[in-house]
């Protein structure tokens, strides 16, 4: 193996991305940094380089331990890359997702555009614990009662 390999190929090989084209798209989308600088897909990676990869809300950090050009099994990844991701970044994966479930009466069909705009406006304007901010006519229309948790 040579002394360097393309960054998109390396990220695919160590299983950061499922396909090489996903790795290429991430590089093109400025989600991959090499030494603190955005990396193009053709950028060459060398042993000792530190890679920063943004996937969703998490900023992963890897140190290149060895180079490879073909994909390896998950158990072998630790021989080629060291995961330096801080624990507080990994905790973002388990953060609770706040959702609001709105019930509609059976048989009423899909919301109209106006219903959707009213609902979006209501959700944008309210806090999670402020039931009194919802106008009565909208609350009635979407079946929201005082007993509903926010």
């Amino acid at each position: 193996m040579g002394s360097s390999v393309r960054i998109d190929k390396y990220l695919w090989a160590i299983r950061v991305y499922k396909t090489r084209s996903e790795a290429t798209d991430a590089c093109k989308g400025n989600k991959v940094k090499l030494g603190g600088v955005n990396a193009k897909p053709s950028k060459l990676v060398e042993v000792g380089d530190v890679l920063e990869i943004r996937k969703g809300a998490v900023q992963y950090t890897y140190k290149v331990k060895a180079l490879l050009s073909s994909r390896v099994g998950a158990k072998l990844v630790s021989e080629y890359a060291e995961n330096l991701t801080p624990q507080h970044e990994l905790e973002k994966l388990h953060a609770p997702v706040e959702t609001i479930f709105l019930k509609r009466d059976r048989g009423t069909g899909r919301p109209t555009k106006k219903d959707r705009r009213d609902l979006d406006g209501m959700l944008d304007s309210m806090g999670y614990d402020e039931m009194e901010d919802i106008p009565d006519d909208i609350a009635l229309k979407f079946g929201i009662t005082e007993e509903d948790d926010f």
Side-chain angles (χ1 to χ4, degrees):
M1 174 106 253
S3 62
S4 59
V5 67
R6 286 175 57 112
I7 194 167
D8 60 342
K9 192 170 187 178
Y10 183 79
L11 292 174
W12 164 76
I14 64 166
R15 299 181 162 272
V16 174
Y17 292 101
K18 201 171 193 175
T19 64
R20 186 156 169 202
S21 60
E22 281 182 18
T24 302
D25 291 343
C27 291
K28 288 179 182 176
N30 295 330
K31 292 182 180 9
V32 177
K33 293 184 178 192
L34 176 64
V37 179
N38 289 334
K40 293 183 179 179
S42 61
K43 182 74 175 164
L44 298 177
V45 178
E46 298 174 354
V47 175
D49 286 344
V50 176
L51 306 172
E52 297 172 17
I53 298 113
R54 168 72 59 193
K55 286 181 80 176
V58 182
Q59 178 83 26
Y60 294 96
T61 307
Y62 294 96
K63 183 174 183 180
V64 179
K65 290 170 70 175
L67 299 177
L68 72 163
S69 60
S70 59
R71 194 166 170 97
V72 294
K75 291 181 180 179
L76 299 176
V77 169
S78 60
E79 296 176 16
Y80 298 97
E82 181 181 354
N83 190 347
L84 303 175
T85 308
Q87 187 61 35
H88 67 87
E89 285 289 329
L90 295 175
E91 289 171 356
K92 292 179 183 177
L93 293 171
H94 304 293
V97 178
E98 296 188 22
T99 60
I100 295 176
F101 177 73
L102 299 174
K103 56 189 172 211
R104 289 183 54 86
D105 292 332
R106 191 173 175 96
T108 57
R110 293 175 52 186
T112 63
K113 281 186 176 182
K114 184 177 183 330
D115 290 343
R116 190 78 227 163
R117 284 192 299 269
D118 289 344
L119 182 61
D120 288 344
M122 175 193 65
L123 293 175
D124 288 342
S125 68
M126 69 181 246
Y128 290 106
D129 56 353
E130 300 171 3
M131 178 63 191
E132 63 274 357
D133 287 347
I134 303 172
D136 292 336
D137 59 330
I138 293 176
L140 180 65
K141 189 175 195 177
F142 291 103
I144 300 171
T145 62
E146 294 288 333
E147 293 83 34
D148 292 334
D149 286 334
F150 285 98

